[in-house]
Amino acid sequence: MPQNQHSHRKDEHVSLAEKYYHAAQPNAFDQVRIRHDALPETNVADITTTTQIGKWQWTSPLYIEAMTGGSDQTGKINARLAKIAAAVHLPMATGSQSVALKYPELANTFSVVRDNNPDGLVFGNLGAGHPLSAAKTAIEMLHADALELHLNVVQEIVMPEGDRDFRWLANIKQLVTELPVPIIVKEVGFGISKPTMTQLYQAGVRYLDLGGHGGTNFVDIENRRRPQREMSYLHDFGLSTVESLLAVQSHPDDLTIFATGGIRTPLDAIKALMLGADAVGMAGVVLHAVLHQPDEDVITMLKSWLDQFKLLMALVGATQVSELKQLSDKLILSPELVAYKQSIN
């Protein structure tokens, strides 16, 4: 496939992600309520959002999740995202770097992230089937602090030109063992089950991004690119972020859980942390803002998110992020989620 078609696909992904974006789109976080206790006995001035995420200390448990790169247009978006991440002191991940491995002249559409965020926490991104040499190149391209390895079977199945070989586990084990930075294994919007978590943990994975259903839907995006658009029946396939969080609640203590997929508001982030996440990533809401607002306004929006997050911690009775996990008894699950939780226990 010629290079311009690869880049065109990256531009298509951004265009279609925006086409299908709806700020108030219902998802499984709507099936989770928080019991209100009118005496939280908190003082906002006492609250700290600084938290330990694996080997790192973050100023908050929020981060900007993987989105894009691989074309002139998406390279410009990456540059803006990097500047925004630096301004609000949030970690960020790039989109898949595989296109830059095949066409090295596109590497600058990813390395621009480090150029514009020299001191920030930056995660690279590759498919889980890439060999060790490719993973090292991806890390070097960004001077990345970690590498996301994405699991995207559903996306590849629907993608007209997608991969058809999904034997990844042995490769993941090798990369975890031999790469010099932490590996974050992530789904891209279809969730992680408990058996998958167990397989990955046994392979040495200690950072897991659940990437659940509820946000950007790659079935919709890739099906739109199919000539007959005949695979829409997979629109609801997969586990939601909430279902994935419930599935892995009994995870080993040394497994760090990232929750992404359908984070629309600071309240969704609070719910995810109360369900057991260590960190929460947002993508669609940030991409939408970047496409429609100047950087200054996006920075203002994210600073407002961080301020609201602290207020919500006070509302639910937590003064430290680590306390949110201990407040799971305040959560009221819908009958559907209760039945789901019972079915997996």
Side-chain angles (χ1 to χ4, degrees):
M1 180 182 292
Q3 173 194 331
N4 63 350
Q5 287 184 279
H6 279 279
S7 294
H8 178 64
R9 187 177 77 198
K10 297 295 185 178
D11 291 339
E12 276 189 302
H13 282 173
V14 170
S15 175
L16 290 170
E18 175 61 15
K19 175 181 175 64
Y20 288 115
Y21 175 79
H22 299 287
Q25 176 177 316
N27 67 34
F29 282 105
D30 299 324
Q31 297 177 279
V32 180
R33 296 169 55 219
I34 300 173
R35 185 189 72 225
H36 174 52
D37 295 330
L39 289 170
E41 293 297 296
T42 51
N43 180 350
V44 174
D46 296 333
I47 290 173
T48 176
T49 59
T50 300
T51 185
Q52 193 72 27
I53 306 295
K55 63 174 286 188
W56 305 286
Q57 189 173 73
W58 294 10
T59 56
S60 86
L62 305 181
Y63 71 104
I64 298 173
E65 179 57 304
M67 283 183 249
T68 197
S71 69
D72 289 342
Q73 176 194 350
T74 58
K76 292 173 182 175
I77 293 173
N78 264 343
R80 294 182 60 197
L81 288 169
K83 292 175 185 177
I84 291 164
V88 293
H89 307 292
L90 292 180
M92 73 163 286
T94 73
S96 174
Q97 297 167 258
S98 60
V99 64
L101 298 179
K102 189 165 187 177
Y103 300 105
E105 61 269 29
L106 295 174
N108 67 319
T109 68
F110 296 96
S111 61
V112 69
V113 170
R114 182 56 79 189
D115 295 340
N116 287 279
N117 190 4
D119 302 316
L121 199 62
V122 173
F123 304 151
N125 185 337
L126 273 185
H130 283 275
L132 180 63
S133 59
K136 288 181 176 178
T137 300
I139 292 166
E140 292 166 3
M141 191 184 301
L142 294 169
H143 301 290
D145 299 287
L147 181 66
E148 293 187 339
L149 290 180
H150 61 259
L151 311 177
N152 65 335
V153 177
V154 184
Q155 180 188 8
E156 296 287 351
I157 289 290
V158 182
M159 187 188 300
E161 70 279 32
D163 293 335
R164 296 295 183 260
D165 186 349
F166 309 119
R167 295 170 294 179
W168 295 335
L169 192 58
N171 190 62
I172 291 171
K173 184 174 182 178
Q174 181 189 13
L175 297 184
V176 169
T177 302
E178 300 191 30
L179 286 175
V181 299
I183 298 301
I184 304 166
V185 175
K186 64 169 299 229
E187 241 291 351
V188 302
F190 305 97
I192 295 287
S193 66
K194 187 171 184 178
T196 299
M197 177 198 75
T198 301
Q199 286 177 290
L200 290 168
Y201 185 81
Q202 290 174 349
V205 173
R206 294 299 179 267
Y207 297 87
L208 184 61
D209 179 347
L210 303 179
H213 196 277
T216 302
N217 190 321
F218 277 101
V219 165
D220 293 345
I221 289 172
E222 299 298 354
N223 189 57
R224 179 85 178 193
R225 298 178 61 247
R226 295 181 70 87
Q228 304 303 317
R229 301 180 184 178
E230 73 276 27
M231 296 188 76
S232 61
Y233 53 80
L234 287 174
H235 168 79
D236 291 323
F237 190 84
L239 298 172
S240 70
T241 305
V242 171
E243 289 168 334
S244 298
L245 283 163
L246 292 172
V248 306
Q249 275 187 331
S250 59
H251 65 80
D253 291 341
D254 60 341
L255 182 63
T256 299
I257 299 295
F258 295 72
T260 61
I263 303 299
R264 304 157 300 181
T265 65
L267 182 59
D268 289 339
I270 288 284
K271 290 177 181 179
L273 291 158
M274 292 175 72
L275 283 162
D278 296 290
V280 178
M282 46 204 171
V285 65
V286 178
L287 179 61
H288 177 73
V290 166
L291 293 178
H292 293 276
Q293 300 175 32
D295 293 357
E296 295 76 12
D297 290 353
V298 182
I299 290 168
T300 298
M301 179 195 82
L302 290 174
K303 286 182 176 178
S304 177
W305 265 55
L306 294 170
D307 290 341
Q308 292 171 48
F309 184 84
K310 185 177 285 191
L311 294 174
L312 293 176
M313 284 182 62
L315 176 63
V316 301
T319 56
Q320 299 182 46
V321 173
S322 60
E323 294 173 2
L324 290 168
K325 289 184 183 181
Q326 301 165 22
L327 300 176
S328 60
D329 62 332
K330 287 178 176 278
L331 297 176
I332 304 168
L333 305 181
S334 70
E336 181 181 353
L337 285 178
V338 170
Y340 167 77
K341 187 176 181 180
Q342 291 172 343
S343 75
I344 60 175
N345 290 334

